[in-house]
Amino acid sequence: MRVDTLVKAAVAALEDIKGHDIVVLDVRKMTSLFDRVVIASADSTRQSRALSNHLQEKLKTLGARVHGVEGERAAEWILVDLGSVIVHVMLPAVRKHYNLEELWTPPPRARRRRAHGAATT
């Protein structure tokens, strides 16, 4: 399954169960392990389990492979490994604490300054 299709299906599955503050990050330039990171918030551990379960069921029916799931027992932060896409379902306090958006967002590129008085040809 194409990465874009996988991401769209994952986001749709999260939206079905009222996941919110959904963010998709392109991390291809930062790691070769996966291409996209999807982060969503849930209001309770019950909702985070429901989001994770619905996500897995929906993607399996579309033919995607779920490589692994971590954190379902505590359900404050559940990671679903879809191969080229990693989905994090987190409670807001956990999400704020770990701030994955900042971790997986590349720093802004420094602008090169032209030397003052440099000759142009």
Side-chain angles (χ1 to χ4, degrees), residues 102-114:
E102 184 178 328
L103 177 69
W104 287 109
T105 301
R109 294 180 68 187
R111 294 164 104 188
R112 291 185 180 170
R113 294 184 180 190
R114 288 177 82 188

Side-chain angles (χ1 to χ4, degrees), residues 87-107:
V87 179
H88 298 274
V89 179
M90 308 171 87
L91 296 182
V94 175
R95 184 171 177 173
K96 183 178 178 184
H97 179 76
Y98 288 101
N99 197 7
L100 295 181
E101 289 91 341
E102 184 178 328
L103 177 69
W104 287 109
T105 301

Side-chain angles (χ1 to χ4, degrees), residues 5-27:
T5 305
L6 196 57
V7 167
K8 287 178 185 176
V11 169
L14 295 168
E15 289 174 338
D16 287 347
I17 309 292
K18 307 294 185 221
H20 56 88
D21 300 327
I22 300 170
V23 175
V24 178
L25 303 172
D26 185 340
V27 296

Side-chain angles (χ1 to χ4, degrees), residues 62-74:
L62 295 173
R65 180 172 176 221
V66 176
H67 295 275
V69 180
E70 296 292 332
E72 282 185 311
R73 177 176 258 172

